[in-house]
Amino acid sequence: MNVQKLVSMKGKQPIVMITAYDAPFANIVHQAGVDAILVGDSVANNVLGYSDTLPATMEDMIRHTQAVRRGAPEAFIIADMPFLSYQCSMDEAVRNAGRFLKEAGANAIKLEGGSFYVPLIERLVKAGIPVMGHLGLTPQSVNVFGGYKVQGKDEKSAKYLLEEAKAIEKAGVFSIVLEMVVEETAKMITESLSIPTIGIGSGRYCDGQILVLHDLLGLNPSFLPKFAKRYANLYQESLEAVQRYAFDVRNRAFPSEDNVFKVGG
């Protein structure tokens, strides 16, 4: 997979993406045959224990992107630009984006925001850094939105999102994530662009879909957003496995004869 192949899939075959954060899960995801892996700044709340994505740092993202690359050496990997890694200055943004390709082995970066970031997107693309856009509910702006709210619900906001999408498409993004956009608006945007849209909570008509692996696998029992589908319940399975281990240790059933070393053995 590469940028050109991903773009060529628009209108021909749905694009499958998953957000993952470490080597073991990246290996599983790649072996399952997904088209691309996103190393999301949602590592902050899904792995590091924060309540939202804002605390994720460049060092967090570099480390986790490196881990995903080691776990899936042949995968197409997109790395999230974390909060304040590209908002402060263009030069700093280019340096940070370049680190993902140079140090972490990413194939592309993703950044949130619309027309305001057109000059930055143009500069990144000219520097040889492929850029994925992100519109709709942009989690780094959760404090501006006043919470996690569905976007594009009326004609005015739908038109605004379409204009923003066209602006960043013209600037050079190769794809756009649409997050929590009403289905009708996401469909209109998808049909108006020549690049793929990747939906998360944006209905059935995007060119592809992305889910966070932890949601898909049921690793967080207290969180199941409307747009996600739980394909496993690994939280419960993991809990029961550790409980069985604890029981065996306390009852001296583990380690057993099969788990020990002996003189001359």
Side-chain angles (χ1 to χ4, degrees):
M1 182 58 64
N2 55 47
V3 168
Q4 289 75 25
K5 287 182 180 178
L6 201 72
V7 173
S8 71
M9 292 173 71
K10 182 179 177 72
K12 298 176 183 177
Q13 180 181 342
I15 298 166
V16 181
M17 289 184 59
I18 283 181
T19 298
Y21 313 105
D22 60 30
F25 275 138
N27 179 263
I28 292 171
V29 166
H30 185 59
Q31 292 300 319
V34 304
D35 297 308
I37 301 173
L38 172 68
V39 186
D41 60 357
S42 51
V43 68
N45 47 303
N46 285 313
V47 175
L48 302 179
Y50 295 105
S51 60
D52 54 44
T53 67
L54 299 182
T57 66
M58 272 299 299
E59 298 312 312
D60 291 332
M61 295 305 301
I62 291 289
R63 179 63 60 87
H64 283 276
T65 304
Q66 290 170 335
V68 169
R69 173 53 75 201
R70 287 191 290 268
E74 305 301 322
F76 184 79
I77 296 173
I78 303 158
D80 245 342
M81 296 284 287
F83 184 57
L84 294 185
S85 68
Y86 62 97
Q87 292 93 338
C88 297
S89 77
M90 192 174 295
D91 287 344
E92 182 180 16
V94 174
R95 280 193 297 270
N96 284 333
R99 289 187 64 194
F100 280 115
L101 275 65
K102 190 171 183 177
E103 298 177 32
N107 301 101
I109 62 96
K110 179 176 76 64
L111 57 80
E112 298 180 8
S115 56
F116 180 81
Y117 292 105
V118 161
L120 173 58
I121 294 168
E122 290 175 339
R123 182 166 169 186
L124 289 170
V125 173
K126 287 179 181 177
I129 303 171
V131 180
M132 172 178 272
H134 185 155
L135 296 173
L137 188 281
T138 46
Q140 292 178 16
S141 301
V142 63
N143 291 313
V144 176
F145 287 128
Y148 296 94
K149 299 178 180 179
V150 177
Q151 305 295 307
K153 297 171 76 172
D154 54 46
E155 185 177 351
K156 181 180 179 181
S157 60
K159 182 180 178 182
Y160 171 77
L161 282 174
L162 177 59
E163 290 173 350
E164 294 289 274
K166 287 183 174 180
I168 63 174
E169 176 188 34
K170 186 177 180 181
V173 301
F174 67 88
S175 181
I176 301 175
V177 170
L178 297 178
E179 181 165 358
M180 289 182 65
V181 175
V182 296
E183 186 173 70
E184 296 85 349
T185 300
K187 184 175 187 289
M188 175 187 66
I189 293 171
T190 299
E191 292 174 348
S192 300
L193 302 179
S194 61
I195 57 173
T197 59
I198 309 296
I200 178 165
S202 297
R204 296 162 289 181
Y205 302 104
C206 294
D207 296 299
Q209 298 291 331
I210 184 168
L211 280 181
V212 173
L213 186 63
H214 290 54
D215 296 340
L216 184 157
L217 296 179
L219 285 166
N220 185 351
S222 63
F223 181 72
L224 183 63
K226 176 181 174 64
F227 59 78
K229 182 176 180 180
R230 190 174 287 169
Y231 287 84
N233 189 356
L234 293 197
Y235 176 87
Q236 189 62 35
E237 291 186 29
S238 301
L239 175 63
E240 291 173 1
V242 176
Q243 288 173 334
R244 290 197 301 271
Y245 161 73
F247 178 87
D248 283 355
V249 171
R250 288 170 180 144
N251 289 275
R252 298 192 178 279
F254 177 84
S256 69
E257 183 72 18
D258 294 334
N259 308 118
V260 299
F261 302 100
K262 294 185 177 180
V263 174

